[in-house]
């Protein structure tokens, strides 16, 4: 026959009738739901309207062509018209570079795409105004995408480039129309036969430029259209945050602060005193060792089993372990300083505020200013930049990995300072976690 507990009893009805339980639960969960809805939807509701200084390269490889004794560079006209477009002022930052520099910028995650005026552009456009017995080639503008910088940002840049190319084409069409009309008037005045353009020719002249889209920076087929970096970062961040909660609970169980429940079985260790500072340091030491294993297992699952495109595996493992440790120590610091609210605050800091401001799905340049401010220091963005650089940009320091290392180190240092500083303060003031348990008849250790 099972033994009954000897302490005071209560009923479920009595608990449910208590206002404090209802108010506390509703307030915490309701506020959390409100904040998460506000943060996530506030970041993603209007990316086009929030777009600010989206970096796009513009290349003019056109040397120009001679027409009627004058040298004309229609490529220069187009790039100037694109850069000066009033509807894109403040929304796009055009980087006027050559083709090689545009490729370099895309390979270092500096631009989301490029608009390229090819070498024969002026000659092709002016060829449309040549006599009809000539066979001119249709002018073409190239759009280079950079899905490695984020599929959404690359698509936004592509749409901007398509609109710019279309506007340039229409403007050139009007210019060609005037030129052909002037030529026809001169021919008619000279008594020459004037051939009227056919309907297909008029349509071509109205919008003469063809657009060709190509991938400017290659992304592998197993890169999730540039999203594997985001999900891998999420694994690292969750590994640190959840790992911190597990470690904190395991240390508390080993010290006898909390009982261990496995199904219907409950065991409790004798309570042993350990200062808050040493409790925090033990947790950080465990986090450092565990992170090496969790990073390796995460990489084994992602690369070895799933088969995502990844290189620099040793670097990916080391960076993943450091990032997980930094996230875990941040969560441990919040747990040590705040106690029971610690898991909620760490979830808000490492997930709630971090993911919308990471630039993972929507680029930072398309986020409201509040989220761009958060992105300067929120840890998720820093880790994402490092993972993205390792997976997609050959681990270039200039592609975000350098900043990721620095900010990860700074975040770890600040977490240690916060945790050690406040736990030592608590210890000096005698705010021990075992203060209310000293009367329990268990042996204690100094």
């Amino acid at each position: 026959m099972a033994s009954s507990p000897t302490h005071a009893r209560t009923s479920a009805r009595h608990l449910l009738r208590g206002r404090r339980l209802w108010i506390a639960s509703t307030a915490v969960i309701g506020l959390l739901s409100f904040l998460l809805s506000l943060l996530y939807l506030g970041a993603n509701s209007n990316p086009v309207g929030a777009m600010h200084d989206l970096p796009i390269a513009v290349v003019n490889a056109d040397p120009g062509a001679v027409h009627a004794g004058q040298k004309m560079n229609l490529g220069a006209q187009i790039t100037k018209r694109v850069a000066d477009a009033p509807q894109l002022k403040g929304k796009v930052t055009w980087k006027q570079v050559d083709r090689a520099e545009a490729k370099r910028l895309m390979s270092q995650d500096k631009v989301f795409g490029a608009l390229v005026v090819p070498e024969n552009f002026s000659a092709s456009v002016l060829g449309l105004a040549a006599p009809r017995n000539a066979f001119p080639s249709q002018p073409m503008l190239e759009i280079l995408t950079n899905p490695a910088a984020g599929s959404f940002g690359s698509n936004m840049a592509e749409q901007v480039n398509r609109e710019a190319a279309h506007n340039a084409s229409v403007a050139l069409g009007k210019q060609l129309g005037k030129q052909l009309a002037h030529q026809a008037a001169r021919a008619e005045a000279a008594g020459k036969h004037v051939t009227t353009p056919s309907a297909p020719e008029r349509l071509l002249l109205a919008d003469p430029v063809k657009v060709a889209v190509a991938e400017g920076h290659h992304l592998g087929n197993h890169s999730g259209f540039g999203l594997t970096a985001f999900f891998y970062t999420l694994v690292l961040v969750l590994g640190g945050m959840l790992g911190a909660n597990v470690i904190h609970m395991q240390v508390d169980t080993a010290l006898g602060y909390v009982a261990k429940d496995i199904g219907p079985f409950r065991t409790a260790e004798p309570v042993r005193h350990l200062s808050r500072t040493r409790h925090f340091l033990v947790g950080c030491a465990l986090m450092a060792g565990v992170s090496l294993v969790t990073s390796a297992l995460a990489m084994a699952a992602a690369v070895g089993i799933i088969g995502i495109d990844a290189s620099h595996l040793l670097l990916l493992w080391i960076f993943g372990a450091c990032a997980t440790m930094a996230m875990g120590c941040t969560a441990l610091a919040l747990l040590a300083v705040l106690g029971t609210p610690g898991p909620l605050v760490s979830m808000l800091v490492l997930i709630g505020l971090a993911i919308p401001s990471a630039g993972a799905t929507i680029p930072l340049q398309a986020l409201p200013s509040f989220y761009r401010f958060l992105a300067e220091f929120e840890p998720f963005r820093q880790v994402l930049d490092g993972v993205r650089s390792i997976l997609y940009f050959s681990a270039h320091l200039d592609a975000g990995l350098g900043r990721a290392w620095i900010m990860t180190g700074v975040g770890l240092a600040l977490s240690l300072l916060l945790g050690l500083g406040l736990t030592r303060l608590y210890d000096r003031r005698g705010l021990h976690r075992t203060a209310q348990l000293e009367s329990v008849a268990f042996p204690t250790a100094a």
Side-chain angles (χ1 to χ4, degrees):
M1 182 176 179
S3 60
S4 300
T6 58
H7 38 269
R9 291 176 174 271
T10 189
S11 65
R13 181 177 297 179
H14 176 75
L15 280 175
L16 291 174
R17 285 179 177 177
R19 293 183 179 180
R20 182 178 299 177
L21 190 62
W22 281 99
I23 292 174
S25 301
T26 304
V28 172
I29 299 173
L31 180 61
L32 190 62
S33 299
F34 175 80
L35 288 175
L36 291 177
S37 178
L38 190 68
L39 290 169
Y40 278 75
L41 297 178
N44 298 286
S45 61
N46 186 18
V48 175
M51 189 167 67
H52 179 75
D53 290 338
L54 187 76
I56 302 176
V58 58
V59 177
N60 178 28
D62 179 25
V66 177
H67 179 73
Q70 295 183 345
K71 186 171 183 178
M72 301 179 65
N73 193 317
L74 298 179
Q77 293 182 21
I78 281 186
T79 53
K80 186 177 186 305
R81 184 180 292 118
V82 166
D84 295 340
Q87 70 271 21
L88 295 176
K89 285 290 184 184
K91 291 184 174 294
V92 175
T93 297
W94 297 101
K95 298 181 180 292
Q96 300 195 39
V97 295
D98 59 24
R99 185 186 289 267
E101 180 66 8
K103 288 279 191 178
R104 188 188 69 81
L105 291 174
M106 282 188 280
S107 70
Q108 295 185 358
D109 198 19
K110 302 298 184 185
V111 294
F112 287 93
L115 178 64
V116 180
V117 182
E119 295 179 357
N120 64 341
F121 185 76
S122 290
S124 298
V125 173
L126 295 174
L128 295 177
R132 295 191 61 188
N133 56 2
F135 297 95
S137 60
Q138 186 175 5
M140 181 176 295
L141 291 176
E142 298 178 57
I143 294 176
L144 301 180
T145 63
N146 190 11
S151 57
F152 192 92
S154 180
N155 288 336
M156 289 183 71
E158 181 183 340
Q159 292 304 314
V160 168
N161 283 331
R162 283 185 180 276
E163 183 179 353
H166 174 71
N167 292 338
S169 179
V170 170
L172 281 175
K174 292 179 180 178
Q175 187 175 341
L176 283 173
K178 291 179 181 179
Q179 184 174 348
L180 290 173
H182 179 65
Q183 290 178 358
R186 289 177 59 186
E188 188 175 357
K192 297 180 180 179
H193 175 69
V194 179
T195 303
T196 304
S198 64
E201 289 173 331
R202 288 197 299 270
L203 287 175
L204 173 62
L205 291 174
D207 189 4
V209 179
K210 181 180 179 181
V211 173
V213 179
E215 194 175 86
H217 179 71
H218 178 68
L219 192 64
N221 295 329
H222 297 278
S223 296
F225 297 102
L227 287 176
T228 52
F230 164 68
F231 288 110
Y232 196 87
T233 301
L234 185 61
V235 169
L236 298 178
V237 173
L238 288 176
M241 186 184 72
L242 297 178
N245 284 277
V246 170
I247 286 173
H248 188 84
M249 180 62 68
Q250 291 296 321
V251 175
D252 277 359
T253 301
L255 293 173
Y257 293 174
V258 295
K260 178 169 63 176
D261 290 311
I262 301 178
F265 305 104
R266 183 178 180 85
T267 59
E269 297 289 333
V271 178
R272 292 174 289 174
H273 172 72
L274 186 69
S275 68
R276 290 177 180 268
T277 303
R278 292 183 179 181
H279 188 291
F280 173 66
L281 288 174
V282 167
C284 289
L286 285 169
M287 194 74 242
V290 169
S291 296
L292 294 171
V293 178
T294 59
S295 178
L297 292 175
M299 191 172 68
V303 181
I305 299 177
I306 304 300
I308 69 168
D309 293 321
S311 56
H312 306 280
L313 296 184
L314 178 62
L315 180 59
L316 182 62
W317 170 57
I318 294 173
F319 180 78
C322 293
T324 301
M325 181 177 67
M327 295 292 175
C329 290
T330 299
L332 285 169
L334 293 173
L335 283 165
V337 170
L338 300 177
T340 302
L344 291 177
V345 175
S346 65
M347 196 270 296
L348 187 63
V349 172
L350 300 179
I351 300 296
L353 290 170
I355 290 182
S357 60
T361 52
I362 295 179
L364 297 178
Q365 294 81 2
L367 294 175
S369 57
F370 171 69
Y371 297 90
R372 293 198 296 271
F373 166 74
L374 288 178
E376 293 299 320
F377 55 85
E378 270 290 344
F380 198 104
R381 182 258 172 127
Q382 324 306 328
V383 177
L384 174 65
D385 284 351
V387 172
R388 183 179 278 166
S389 174
I390 295 171
L391 293 182
Y392 306 149
F393 299 108
S394 301
H396 285 306
L397 293 177
D398 290 342
L401 183 58
R403 175 188 168 88
W405 276 119
I406 293 172
M407 295 302 291
T408 299
V410 169
L412 177 60
L414 290 177
S415 298
L416 293 175
L417 287 174
L418 173 67
L420 290 174
L422 290 183
T423 52
R424 290 187 69 179
L425 177 63
Y426 295 164
D427 288 334
R428 288 178 180 177
R429 295 190 174 183
L431 302 173
H432 303 300
R433 297 181 68 198
T434 54
Q436 297 180 359
L437 303 174
E438 290 175 354
S439 59
V440 179
F442 288 132
T444 58

